[in-house]
């Protein structure tokens, strides 16, 4: 049995791991690369394997860096099933169409420029048609029920507590008399956060793949999160500024909205205008509301008590472009949440452009910012940034709260590994930049009793 690491190896995006068992090929995740433009375009156009040769795809969750290359896989000949949890399958209908829309409109914009220069036009990575074909291949499943995906191969989903529908994937492989279990962590969430259940560890693994986004960092305790958020909001409001929060449409957006609603209800922050400006996030919040089977106890209680955990009464959900543009002209104080979370595309760029030069305003980062994204440059203290081709000095305050990140920190990752009844013999540390993956690998060896730990590089193949 072999495993090949075709993405999220040496970085956090483009999650793609290919398992080869007795001539059968199972692809775990099929994500898009994001970050440095030229490099990610190149990586997104090549798989490192033949798409038509894959026998089954298993998806850990719906985030685009885990699912966004699926339409390209289908465009290049993949006709098999795409296994996911029910909630992930539901989310994909919005995420993949949204991604196809972005691919098509990016290329339209690029081709206009190429035509002017007399250069040949380019094709989008995939189209809406490809996204629709892909959706027809998606099969939703329950958690905890073994799914026979190929002869001798079963898959079971456990809750990863990362976003709605997210799963830890257990793959049970029977070859002759030998039975082996591989566990893929997908992205692991934090413990004790509202809404989602805690990440679960399957009982057993011979070998596992673990994410390492925050492999060497420790987050603030959950209890201090509200205080810190209230402090930032009150500070910005006192100077009548705008609080701009780049947020992934899926992930902690719902949790932040939930926290803001909680602070308003308790009077810790003044009743204020909050806008969620992202059509995708609005749809995703609807999907959330449709999947109570994924909620934890706290949200069930709030649902019973108020019937409105996501603050629909308190928050304005912005759908149309006109409403979004009107927000650009509006004076503070107010809060706006908008996608994309790493400021690579979408309406957040308009809000950033309109608020970044005024020291009254504040940009609050609540999610992981991958290397070479606009978000990362601002977070690292750039004096000037380029938005829509124009330089803008960064004068607004810049704040960050990793606590809303949908990713477990170092201690939570180790706790997840300790959840196996016996330490697995072998681990691969993926989905992290080297300064996070390597220290985690070291700790897995020293503190969690894992004999062999390896941090694979991209397109590497290992026998397991
Ligand atoms: Zn994720």
């Amino acid at each position: 049995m072999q495993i090949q690491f075709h993405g999220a190896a040496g970085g956090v995006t483009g999650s793609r791991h290919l398992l080869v068992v007795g001539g059968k090929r199972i692809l775990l995740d099929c994500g898009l690369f994001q970050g440095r433009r030229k490099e990610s375009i190149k990586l997104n156009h090549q798989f490192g394997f033949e798409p038509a040769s894959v026998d089954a795809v298993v998806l850990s969750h719906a985030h685009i860096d885990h699912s966004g290359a699926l339409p390209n896989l289908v465009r290049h000949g993949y006709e098999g099933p795409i296994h996911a949890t029910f909630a992930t399958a539901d989310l994909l209908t919005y995420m993949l169409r949204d991604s196809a829309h972005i691919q098509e409109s990016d290329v339209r914009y690029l081709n206009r420029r190429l035509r002017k220069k007399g250069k040949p036009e380019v094709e989008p990575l995939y189209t809406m048609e490809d996204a629709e074909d892909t959706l027809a291949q998606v099969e939703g499943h329950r958690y905890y029920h073994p799914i026979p995906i190929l002869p001798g191969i079963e898959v079971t989903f456990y809750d990863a507590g990362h976003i709605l529908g997210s799963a830890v994937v257990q793959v049970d492989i029977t070859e002759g008399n030998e039975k082996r279990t591989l566990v893929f962590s997908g992205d692991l969430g934090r413990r004790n956060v509202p809404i989602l259940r805690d990440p679960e560890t399957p009982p057993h693994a011979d070998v596992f793949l673990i994410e390492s986004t925050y492999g060497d960092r420790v987050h603030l305790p959950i209890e201090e999160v509200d205080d810190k958020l209230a402090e930032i909001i009150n500070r910005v409001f006192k100077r009548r500024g705008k609080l701009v929060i780049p947020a992934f449409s899926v992930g902690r957006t719902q949790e932040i909205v939930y926290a803001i609603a909680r602070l308003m209800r308790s009077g810790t922050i003044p009743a204020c205008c909050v806008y969620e400006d992202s059509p995708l996030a609005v749809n995703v919040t609807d999907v959330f509301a449709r999947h109570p089977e994924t909620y934890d106890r706290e949200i069930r209680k709030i649902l019973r008590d108020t019937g409105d955990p996501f603050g629909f009464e308190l928050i304005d959900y912005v759908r149309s472009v006109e409403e979004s543009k009107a927000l650009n002209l509006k004076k503070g104080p107010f809060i706006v949440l908008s996608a994309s979370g790493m400021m690579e595309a979408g309406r957040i760029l308009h809000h950033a452009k309109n608020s970044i030069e005024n020291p009254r305003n504040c940009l609050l980062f609540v999610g992981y910012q991958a290397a070479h994204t606009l978000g990362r440059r601002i977070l690292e203290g750039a004096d000037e940034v380029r938005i829509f081709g124009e330089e803008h000095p960064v004068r607004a305050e810049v704040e960050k709260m990793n606590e809303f990140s949908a990713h477990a920190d170092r201690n939570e990752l180790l706790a997840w590994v300790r959840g196996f009844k016996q330490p697995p013999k072998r681990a691969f540390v993926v989905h992290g930049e080297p300064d996070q993956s390597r220290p985690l690998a070291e700790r897995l060896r020293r503190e969690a009793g894992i004999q062999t730990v390896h941090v694979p590089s991209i397109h590497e193949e290992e026998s397991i």
Side-chain angles (χ1 to χ4, degrees), residues 242 322-332 334 350-351 354:
K242 292 187 227 176
E322 288 69 36
E323 285 174 283
S324 174
K325 279 188 182 152
L327 267 188
N328 289 328
L329 303 172
K330 190 178 151 71
K331 289 214 157 46
F334 67 87
H350 294 277
H351 295 296
N354 282 295

Side-chain angles (χ1 to χ4, degrees), residues 6-17 33 65-66 429-432 456 458:
H6 292 293
V12 296
T13 66
S15 179
R16 302 167 185 181
H17 310 295
F33 287 90
D65 59 326
H66 294 255
V429 180
V430 296
H431 201 285
I458 193 155

Side-chain angles (χ1 to χ4, degrees), residues 12 60-66 162-163 166 186-188 211 213 250-251 406-407 431:
V12 296
S60 66
H61 65 291
H63 269 157
I64 284 301
D65 59 326
H66 294 255
H162 167 66
I163 59 163
S166 64
D187 286 358
L188 293 170
E211 70 122 320
T213 314
V250 194
H407 290 275
H431 201 285

